[in-house]
Each structure stands twice: as structure tokens, then as C-alpha cells.
Amino acid sequence: MDELTKEQAIALSDVALAQLPTAIKRPRYDRSKLTAGIVHIGLGNFHRAHQAWYLHRLMEQGLAHDWAILGAGVRAGDSVMRDKLLAQDCLTTLIELDPAGVSAEVIGSMIGFVPIEDDNASLIKVMCEPAIRIVGLTVTEGGYFRDASGALDLSHADIVHDAANPDKPRTAFGAMIAALKLRRANGHAPFTGLCCDNLQGNGEILRQTVVGLARLSDPALADWINQNASFPDAMVDCIVPATGAAELEVARALGVNDAAPVTHENFRQWVIEDNFCNGRPPWEQAGATLTDDVHPFESMKIRILNAGHQLLANVGEISGLETIADCMCDAQIAAFFRKAQTEAILPNVDAVPGMSPERYLGLIEGRFANPKIRDTTRRVAFDGSSRHPGFILPVLREAMDNGSSYEGLALAQALWARMCAGTREDGSVIAPNDPHWDALVQAAEAARVDPSAWLAQTQFYGDLGCSPEFLESFAKWLELIWDKGSRAAIDAYLA
């Protein structure tokens, strides 16, 4: 299709839906008759391409019209997304980037966006409504205020604030607690807290954060939440790049002027523990898997896909490769990826119904290599201080415990340390890419002289740095990387 100019593309809105090019699918249901049943905090691209899409699919079947989504955020920056979505009636254009072609659809399962305020008063008020039966979250893996042991970080300034000011909370979790307190006082049932972030056991992590924070100010309320609310585990999977100028242009070329379009791959998976205290949409009728045990599914996905992303992103960033697909097209990096997966990760992953770890790895390799998905190494490498402890280090520990090889994962840690030095191997600067970037850069520089300085970051590594075997392996790889380069280290590993 010839690219349209911004003026030729149709500005997205309810009234403009009928004017969109016929190739773009649009909602067939009457959005004016939808009512809200879900508040979702963290209206990024992933939620709109994933959970909102599943709900849209149900609505297309004439189902779940009382489960529409109200967007929400707790950071001042969320106002930018709120303004964009409200200006287009909370519609989103989803653009599927299949190697065989590009297609687009407009979804309409979201109907509003709560005002964003410092004390979260409007968010609390909305979550008090009896019609709201689920509160979902996509606030990133590092957004749950966990310390190195996995417990609630009681020293974090936002946790300290919310414990002292429970009626004017800063955090999403403090707002949930304040709303649950009012629901209890008004005789209303609690809502289900549905975590949609890439954390193993994410429902239990959300429960621990909410209940633990509530206990700091109101132990009786904490007990009530723990006994009456539900926090199901969920595994989510769809590769969704960030939106930039290129994605905006793709949408315009298709004929729609969307201020916040979302590109995504031609794959989705959502596995949800069927544990909802106040009802739920029939997501299984839109292709989601409802089960009593999410753990095997999430373990396979987090260990092969999410850990695999970290295997690629750090060496890709060091090497100046822009996207994950570029990494997979690099024969040397692709060989490192497969060997580390086969030797260190797959032996520590169980099969799930209908899928072996080996078959899943093949599926992931194909998805990562999709050249139409411009998923940048920078995006995937972001927040390594949460992603390495969450995705790679648990597998590394198991491999050490059961005697399987962990050399590839030790090399991955050395590549992360090298990336955090802040420069690529061509000398160009890597812009800050982690909430703890300054401390990581300092540790990376110290590790050039003494590799143990990197593993001394116990907030990430715990007692792993005390293992002589792991330190020896890590030091060997880091010294080789600094001496001869990351490619020489990968060659040595492959040999």
C-alpha cells in the first residue's frame, strides 16, 4: 500500500470508525452500551495488545459487555497516555506484524481513563464501585517493591509513605488497599487483583505486596484482604515493541491516524489460574487457558523466552545490533543462544500439556527472528536489575544445585556487567537503561579490576557471589570479554 500522509489518514475516534479503510477491522459491538467491570493500572502497549485484545474478542461474540476496561496510572507520566487515548475515545489500533504480511484492527474494550492525581483519590473512588470486580496491573517486573529475598521492601520511600498515609497513597498497591478498605466498610465484596507482569508466581507476589503493605497500617484490614480477595497467577505472552515514529508511520500508511498504535507479533498466550473472588469474563472463549496450576506454563515461558531475551539483548547492545531479530540473524549470537538454552535452561524446564521444552524453544527462535518485529535490544535490556534476578538467576541456581551446565548463564552475567559499563565495543555510549544505572556503572567499572565487585551486589545476587565455582566462571568470562571482546568470549564458549 502506498504510504498515506498524516492528513490523508483518518483520525481515530468512534465517529470515524466507519470511514476507516475496509481492510482495517473495527468493533462490531455498540460501545455506547458497554459498562466497566475492570480497572487496569499501567496502560502500556502490552496490556492493549494482550488483555484488552482478549476482552475485545469476547465482546465481538456478544459477551462480557459489562466487563469493559477503565485505564489507570499512578505516575505523572501516565497522563501523556491518558490524554492520547481519551482524545481518540480510548480506541487502539493493533497492527499485527506477520512475516507473511501486515494487518490491523481497532479494538474498543477500553471505555475510559481515570484522572491521575498525587493522592490517587479518583482511582480509589472508581475501584470502590461494586461494578468493578477485577483490578489488573502491568507495572513492570520491578514495580512490586521486593527486596533481594523477595519480601516487601519496607525501606522504600513509597512504601514508607503509604504505610504512614494510607488514605493518600502514592502506589497502585496503596490505592488498592484504600479502595478495599472502603468496599469492606460499605459491605461490598472485594475485587480480584490480577497481575499481568512477567513474574513467576505473580499472583502470590501481588498478594504479598498488597497484604504486606496493608499490614503496616491496618492489620485487621490485611487479614480481611488475605481471606476474602483473590490474586490468581497468570502467564502472559506476546512480543509487543515500543511505539515510536516508525510505528506511527505504519499506522498512517494503513489509513489510520492513531496517536498510540500498537504493533505486535502473530502470537498470543494467556494462562490464568481460575481463582476469582467476584466473577470474571469467560476468557477461555477467546482462547485463554484457565487452569488450576499456572506454574509449569509460566516457568517454561519465563525461563525460555524471558531469560532468552536477556541472553540476546546484552550482547546485542554491546555489539551495536538494534533489534532482537538482528541478534537472531547473527549466526554467532544465535548459536550462543541455542547452546545456553539447550545446556543450561531446557534441563530445568518441565513440559506442559501439548508442548515440550525443545519444541517451545523452536517456537521462540522463530518468533525472535521475525524481521517485522522491531523489538529493540535497548527495550529488552531495560531494567536488567529486575530481569536478570527474575529470569536468569533462578535457573542458574538450579543448574548449580543439580549439576547441569551453567557456563552459558555465567557468560550472560558477564555480558550484562560489560553492557553496564556504559559503552559499546565500538566506543559509542549506551544511554542509561536501568533504574539503578549509576550504581551498575560503578560496579561494572570496579569489576574490570576485580570481577567479584559485580557479584558483591547482593541485592541482585544474594549469596551467589559467595560461590567460588560461580565466581571463577564469571571472572573467566568477564576478563576474556574485556581482554579480547564479547565475540571472542562467545567463540570460546561455543568451542
Side-chain angles (χ1 to χ4, degrees):
M1 178 185 294
D2 293 336
E3 183 173 341
L4 301 175
T5 66
K6 182 175 182 179
E7 290 73 24
Q8 290 172 313
I10 303 298
L12 187 59
S13 69
D14 276 331
V15 297
L17 285 175
Q19 304 170 38
L20 294 177
T22 56
I24 298 177
K25 299 177 183 177
R26 74 289 312 269
R28 298 193 302 268
Y29 46 88
D30 185 350
R31 296 186 72 232
S32 69
K33 295 182 179 178
L34 300 180
T35 58
I38 298 172
V39 168
H40 192 90
I41 302 170
L43 255 293
N45 283 11
F46 182 81
H47 165 73
R48 292 182 291 142
H50 196 270
Q51 297 92 24
W53 177 88
Y54 278 96
L55 191 58
H56 169 75
R57 277 283 168 269
L58 289 179
M59 291 174 172
E60 292 281 80
Q61 300 173 38
L63 303 171
H65 287 190
D66 61 340
W67 284 102
I69 298 165
L70 294 175
V74 295
R75 302 172 305 173
D78 294 326
S79 295
V80 175
M81 180 63 76
R82 180 176 187 268
D83 292 344
K84 289 180 179 180
L85 292 178
L86 287 178
Q88 57 193 46
D89 298 322
C90 294
L91 294 166
T92 289
T93 308
L94 299 183
I95 303 170
E96 182 175 283
L97 301 177
D98 189 315
V102 176
S103 60
E105 66 176 326
V106 174
I107 66 168
S109 52
M110 179 180 169
I111 61 172
F113 207 124
V114 182
I116 296 167
E117 301 154 335
D118 291 340
D119 61 1
N120 289 304
S122 293
L123 175 57
I124 294 167
K125 181 179 179 181
V126 168
M127 290 192 295
C128 286
E129 295 294 329
I132 300 301
R133 288 150 285 166
I134 294 173
V135 173
L137 300 97
T138 40
V139 296
T140 77
E141 297 84 5
Y144 290 81
F145 300 97
R146 304 168 74 208
D147 62 20
S149 71
L152 181 65
D153 183 359
L154 302 179
S155 65
H156 194 285
D158 289 343
I159 296 299
V160 172
H161 174 276
D162 283 9
N165 304 276
D167 297 329
K168 295 183 178 181
R170 290 177 182 168
T171 71
F173 314 106
M176 291 170 69
I177 293 164
L180 286 165
K181 180 178 181 179
L182 291 171
R183 291 177 78 111
R184 181 187 61 167
N186 293 331
H188 302 318
F191 49 69
T192 294
L194 181 59
C195 177
C196 299
D197 283 303
N198 281 313
L199 293 162
Q200 194 156 344
N202 57 8
E204 185 56 30
I205 289 171
L206 177 56
R207 177 190 293 276
Q208 290 173 0
T209 303
V210 171
V211 173
L213 177 55
R215 198 168 299 284
L216 297 176
S217 60
D218 191 336
L221 175 62
D223 290 339
W224 182 83
I225 295 171
N226 197 41
Q227 293 166 10
N228 295 280
S230 56
F231 301 87
D233 284 339
M235 187 277 278
V236 296
D237 190 5
C238 183
I239 296 174
V240 182
T243 295
E247 288 72 25
L248 293 169
E249 290 180 10
V250 169
R252 287 196 291 266
L254 291 168
V256 59
N257 188 4
D258 185 332
V262 178
T263 58
H264 61 91
E265 65 172 329
N266 58 337
F267 178 92
R268 284 184 184 86
Q269 188 179 19
W270 195 9
V271 183
I272 315 167
E273 180 187 4
D274 199 358
N275 174 27
F276 290 78
C277 64
N278 201 357
R280 64 169 177 82
W283 279 307
E284 64 272 29
Q285 296 190 43
T289 299
L290 276 293
T291 179
D292 292 332
D293 186 8
V294 174
H295 176 76
F297 295 89
E298 65 184 1
S299 180
M300 176 178 285
K301 185 259 180 175
I302 285 174
R303 294 190 169 197
I304 298 176
L305 187 152
N306 295 104
H309 259 158
Q310 300 313 301
L311 294 176
L312 296 171
N314 299 144
V315 66
E317 184 72 286
I318 295 167
S319 303
L321 298 175
E322 186 178 356
T323 69
I324 294 300
D326 291 339
C327 294
M328 292 300 292
C329 288
D330 184 301
Q332 185 187 34
I333 293 178
F336 160 60
F337 175 83
R338 172 158 275 274
K339 182 175 183 181
Q341 289 272 6
T342 302
E343 291 186 351
I345 295 180
L346 265 59
N348 298 292
V349 176
D350 294 328
V352 300
M355 186 68 69
S356 68
E358 293 76 15
R359 183 180 163 208
Y360 188 74
L361 174 59
L363 176 67
I364 295 305
E365 288 177 316
R367 292 168 61 193
F368 282 3
N370 182 349
K372 290 186 178 294
I373 295 291
R374 294 196 59 77
D375 200 12
T376 65
T377 52
R378 177 172 176 81
R379 185 198 76 84
V380 175
F382 173 73
D383 199 11
S385 61
S386 291
R387 295 182 176 187
H388 281 267
F391 304 150
I392 289 187
L393 297 185
V395 193
L396 193 153
R397 287 178 180 276
E398 284 191 25
M400 292 178 66
D401 289 344
N402 62 30
S404 56
S405 173
Y406 59 86
E407 285 294 322
L409 303 185
L411 173 54
Q413 294 309 292
L415 291 165
W416 179 37
R418 170 63 185 84
M419 189 199 79
C420 289
T423 58
R424 299 180 183 88
E425 290 180 331
D426 64 5
S428 59
V429 174
I430 298 173
N433 201 24
D434 193 287
H436 305 287
W437 185 253
D438 290 344
L440 290 170
V441 171
Q442 184 177 358
E445 286 296 330
R448 294 185 67 169
V449 178
D450 177 11
S452 68
W454 181 260
L455 302 185
Q457 299 177 101
T458 55
Q459 67 272 38
F460 311 135
Y461 288 98
D463 61 358
L464 272 174
C466 299
S467 165
E469 295 81 8
F470 177 55
L471 174 58
E472 180 182 2
S473 179
F474 171 80
K476 170 187 67 178
W477 294 123
L478 186 61
E479 289 166 357
L480 182 55
I481 290 168
W482 279 116
D483 184 31
K484 296 185 177 180
S486 61
R487 298 309 184 110
I490 290 175
D491 276 342
Y493 171 64
L494 293 175

